[in-house]
Amino acid sequence: MAQNKAMHERTGGGIGDGNGLSWSITYANAINSLEFVVSEEDKTTLQELAKQVAERANHPCQQEKKQRWKKHHSLEITQPLIFCDPEAAWYEIIPAVSLKCCSPLARMWEMKLRKEIFWADNIKDDRVVEPAFTVHHVSTKTSRGLETQIIGGGDGNAYTWESPLKDGYEALDELKYSSIVVDTKRTNELLSLAHDVFDGILTVRLEGIWWWTLGMSSDLILLRGFENILMDFYDYPDEVHALMAFLRDENLAMLDFLESENLLSLNNGGDFHGTGGYGWTDELPSSGFDGSHVKTTDMWGFCESQETVGVSPEIFEEFIFPYQNEILQRFGLNIYGCCEPLDTRWDVVKKIPRLRKVTVSPWSNNKTMAEHLRSDYVYCKKVNPALIAVSNVDEDAVRKELRDVFSATKKHRCPTEVLMRDVMTLANKAQNAVRWVQIAREEAER
């Protein structure tokens, strides 16, 4: 039992670490709380791994993949792109007991580098390995005045919560915007340490990563409660609008702050966006970009509304979409959707300005979404991770799922990518992820 726990230790720990630190915002938050220490022995280990990453990043195939992503995002009809992130199963592929570094920071950096190597050598999807090492600003967020109490959730486990507005909206006026406080001193310490370890091997870069979604649905239910919100659409519509307006304005204020303080970073490269693949494109930054001051118009934007999957398109259009749309109007290109099926919401979602990528969840109808998207949007298909979460993968079932997707997208000439994500386990068989990519490649080439 103890050995099994050590094998699957969450390197980042805490709530939200169920994705193997695959989201940049989760990685940044986990790093923030650590002591910034790397011993000479750990430094040597990290440098040896960094050299292996640099070797793979400098292979000509990485430039070829980068150009395929750019054509893909320009809506050129290319062969479908394949992406596989084992997420939580990274802890099975690279268990904690296999890490050589000692300090928590060095172990997280080691994990990051080993993932790059495994991606290049084993998974072999269309993800681009870059000759760079990214660190993020160290920051905290101020209180909203009314806080959601999270119960449980440690080590990637399930959690519940106590909503501060669960008994009604009387305290709504007590809410105030949460704001970002950047710890410049600690940020510089982290950046300096990364330079000390990786300079001459990988290019060290500082990026501002401040959100994974601007969708606000999760904040809505955390503040009021899931069942309450579903009833409130009918019983307290004015109050729901008021709460959504608060969340919208809070996000707009955050974007204003980040722009004015020059804390935004371009995400038109090897940056994973929401649930919609990578950002490689020549269409960003905007034509007015001055080369140093990034604005939202120079970036990809992303929203989703998974929590409202059970409400009608009319309810979604009235209570959620208008507030999201005001935020997305600020961005140069946009992505929409996560695990919620968008089949019945498409007439609403398509109103988003400069919408380029649309997530097609495992619960979407492939044919219907292909008819909707055609060659006007990127068809970003999330496949079912349960198919590879078993000891013996049913390859016929894997092929059937992929053929259903490619049959629909080929008919309607959709620029297509397929994503294997939300993986909770590979049944301790890393080969499952490797084999899925091989099968997806074979089916894409048919």
Side-chain angles (χ1 to χ4, degrees):
M1 182 75 172
Q3 182 181 8
N4 185 61
K5 186 178 186 298
M7 287 287 287
H8 299 109
E9 173 194 333
R10 262 42 174 168
T11 310
I15 294 169
D17 192 27
N19 60 20
L21 299 174
S22 288
W23 295 347
S24 295
I25 185 65
T26 307
Y27 179 78
N29 290 341
I31 291 286
N32 282 357
S33 62
L34 302 181
E35 183 180 5
F36 298 157
V37 174
V38 174
S39 68
E40 285 300 315
E41 185 176 357
D42 286 352
K43 179 178 176 179
T44 298
T45 297
L46 293 172
Q47 288 178 335
E48 289 303 313
L49 292 170
K51 290 175 184 176
Q52 295 181 51
V53 172
E55 179 184 0
R56 288 153 179 79
N58 290 319
H59 192 281
C61 74
Q62 306 301 340
Q63 289 300 318
E64 294 169 4
K65 288 191 286 188
K66 187 186 303 184
Q67 291 307 312
R68 287 205 299 274
W69 280 103
K70 289 183 176 181
K71 289 182 179 180
H72 176 67
H73 288 144
S74 295
L75 303 178
E76 295 185 35
I77 308 299
T78 64
Q79 181 174 302
L81 293 171
I82 312 298
F83 170 65
C84 175
D85 187 345
E87 294 203 1
W90 279 116
Y91 296 120
E92 299 171 4
I93 297 171
I94 308 170
V97 294
S98 72
L99 300 177
K100 296 181 179 180
C101 290
C102 295
S103 78
L105 176 66
R107 287 169 70 81
M108 290 186 71
W109 283 1
E110 179 183 359
M111 180 80 166
K112 186 175 183 178
L113 294 168
R114 290 190 184 278
K115 285 168 67 173
E116 295 288 340
I117 295 166
F118 190 88
W119 241 314
D121 291 356
N122 300 91
I123 294 179
K124 298 181 180 179
D125 59 1
D126 289 314
R127 181 179 179 276
V128 178
V129 178
E130 298 181 84
F133 190 87
T134 303
V135 296
H136 308 292
H137 295 269
V138 179
S139 66
T140 56
K141 275 196 168 186
T142 63
S143 171
R144 280 187 174 131
L146 298 177
E147 290 302 319
T148 301
Q149 181 186 357
I150 302 296
I151 303 168
D155 294 323
N157 293 320
Y159 63 91
T160 186
W161 68 92
E162 286 288 332
S163 303
L165 297 174
K166 67 177 182 178
D167 295 324
Y169 287 91
E170 291 77 11
L172 186 59
D173 290 342
E174 297 178 29
L175 282 174
K176 55 187 178 182
Y177 300 159
S178 175
S179 58
I180 295 169
V181 179
V182 178
D183 190 329
T184 303
K185 181 175 181 295
R186 292 228 332 137
T187 298
N188 289 336
E189 288 175 1
L190 181 64
L191 184 61
S192 177
L193 184 56
H195 277 296
D196 179 60
V197 174
F198 298 112
D199 274 356
I201 306 172
L202 298 173
T203 300
V204 175
R205 59 192 184 195
L206 175 67
E207 286 190 356
I209 300 294
W210 309 105
W211 65 83
W212 84 268
T213 177
L214 296 167
M216 300 175 287
S217 296
S218 56
D219 285 321
L220 184 68
I221 66 164
L222 287 173
L223 286 169
R224 174 66 175 139
F226 219 141
E227 292 183 6
N228 284 341
I229 282 295
L230 294 177
M231 299 298 290
D232 289 349
F233 290 135
Y234 298 94
D235 295 338
Y236 299 102
D238 292 342
E239 288 81 356
V240 176
H241 278 297
L243 184 50
M244 285 300 298
F246 168 84
L247 293 172
R248 173 203 61 202
D249 294 343
E250 179 184 52
N251 275 307
L252 291 174
M254 176 190 69
L255 296 176
D256 287 340
F257 167 77
L258 294 172
E259 277 195 359
S260 66
E261 297 298 315
N262 201 18
L263 291 169
L264 294 174
S265 298
L266 293 176
N267 56 6
N268 63 336
D271 308 276
F272 189 83
H273 302 306
T275 60
Y278 286 86
W280 297 104
T281 179
D282 289 326
E283 296 180 52
L284 295 172
S286 65
S287 58
F289 181 54
D290 65 7
S292 59
H293 190 176
V294 178
K295 300 179 180 179
T296 50
T297 54
D298 302 313
M299 302 175 65
W300 288 94
F302 171 73
C303 280
E304 43 69 50
S305 189
Q306 301 171 86
E307 293 79 10
T308 62
V309 64
V311 308
S312 69
E314 292 77 19
I315 291 291
F316 168 74
E317 183 173 20
E318 178 181 351
F319 290 96
I320 306 298
F321 180 74
Y323 302 98
Q324 294 181 334
N325 200 28
E326 287 188 63
I327 294 172
L328 293 176
Q329 286 177 22
R330 296 186 56 154
F331 289 86
L333 291 173
N334 284 305
I335 307 166
Y336 196 91
C338 190
C339 288
E340 73 275 33
L342 298 177
D343 312 44
T344 61
R345 295 183 178 183
W346 175 243
D347 286 340
V348 181
V349 170
K350 71 180 182 182
K351 299 174 185 177
I352 296 170
R354 298 172 297 283
L355 180 62
R356 182 59 56 87
K357 300 182 73 169
V358 178
T359 300
V360 181
S361 80
W363 297 275
S364 297
N365 183 292
N366 292 326
K367 293 180 181 179
T368 300
M369 289 305 297
E371 291 172 1
H372 286 328
L373 302 182
R374 298 187 178 272
S375 59
D376 299 320
Y377 307 89
V378 173
Y379 187 109
C380 185
K381 176 64 182 181
K382 290 177 66 175
V383 297
N384 183 3
L387 293 177
I388 63 170
V390 292
S391 295
N392 297 304
V393 173
D394 183 344
E395 294 194 2
D396 289 339
V398 171
R399 290 187 187 277
K400 181 181 184 306
E401 180 184 41
L402 291 165
R403 287 176 184 177
D404 286 346
V405 173
F406 294 144
S407 174
T409 58
K410 184 177 181 180
K411 178 179 179 180
H412 295 286
R413 296 182 57 77
C414 304
T416 305
E417 62 191 66
V418 287
L419 282 65
M420 174 58 76
R421 294 193 54 249
D422 303 313
V423 180
M424 294 296 103
T425 181
L426 291 170
N428 289 302
K429 291 190 174 181
Q431 184 60 27
N432 288 0
V434 175
R435 183 58 184 148
W436 179 84
V437 172
Q438 293 171 346
I439 294 172
R441 189 81 70 198
E442 291 168 7
E443 294 301 325
E445 293 173 352
R446 283 170 58 91

